Amino acid sequence: QVPLVESGGGLVQAGDSLRLSCAASGRTLSTYPMGWFRQAPGKEREFVGAITWRTGSTRYADSVRGRFTISRDNAKNTVYLQMNSLKAEDTAVYYCAAGLRLYVTREADYWGVGTQVTVSS
């Protein structure tokens, strides 16, 4: 079984919104904090945000704060990334991730295969 399954990427216009989903499988994995990362062309992979299952506490990169929102549905073992007011610079491959220390260190132990988000201006 694939541990992390992402969906929701696509092509949108600047100012539009998009919601990404990530389903986590396995009891151990579903207890790990979850996060989103992205990698734009020619740039290093960067942290976007993270969330904990128990409390729903969230953290965000400065570049997306106020525009992106991470949430979770514990019953579905699914984490969401709601992206609003998208900008061209948000264009990247977005990766779902899970990690024991992810919420604190931004280090991931498991990765999804990524989903492309393209924002046209």
Side-chain angles (χ1 to χ4, degrees), residues 34-106:
M34 303 287 292
W36 291 94
F37 296 74
R38 68 185 184 183
Q39 186 167 21
K43 299 183 66 177
E44 297 294 314
R45 184 164 56 190
E46 66 173 338
F47 172 80
V48 174
I51 190 169
T52 64
W53 291 105
R54 182 174 60 84
T55 65
S57 300
T58 55
R59 291 181 173 177
Y60 300 96
D62 291 341
S63 59
V64 306
R65 195 183 311 278
R67 298 187 299 118
F68 290 11
T69 302
I70 297 176
S71 61
R72 93 289 197 211
D73 186 332
N74 292 58
K76 296 180 178 180
N77 292 330
T78 299
V79 171
Y80 305 95
L81 180 65
Q82 178 67 46
M83 303 182 290
N84 298 327
S85 301
L86 282 163
K87 307 174 181 179
E89 51 262 44
D90 294 318
T91 295
V93 177
Y94 283 71
Y95 298 90
C96 177
L100 178 64
R101 312 304 299 174
L102 191 154
Y103 194 79
V104 176
T105 69
R106 302 181 177 184

Side-chain angles (χ1 to χ4, degrees), residues 12-17 84-88 119-120:
V12 298
Q13 296 182 358
D16 209 343
S17 298
N84 298 327
S85 301
L86 282 163
K87 307 174 181 179
V119 184
S120 63

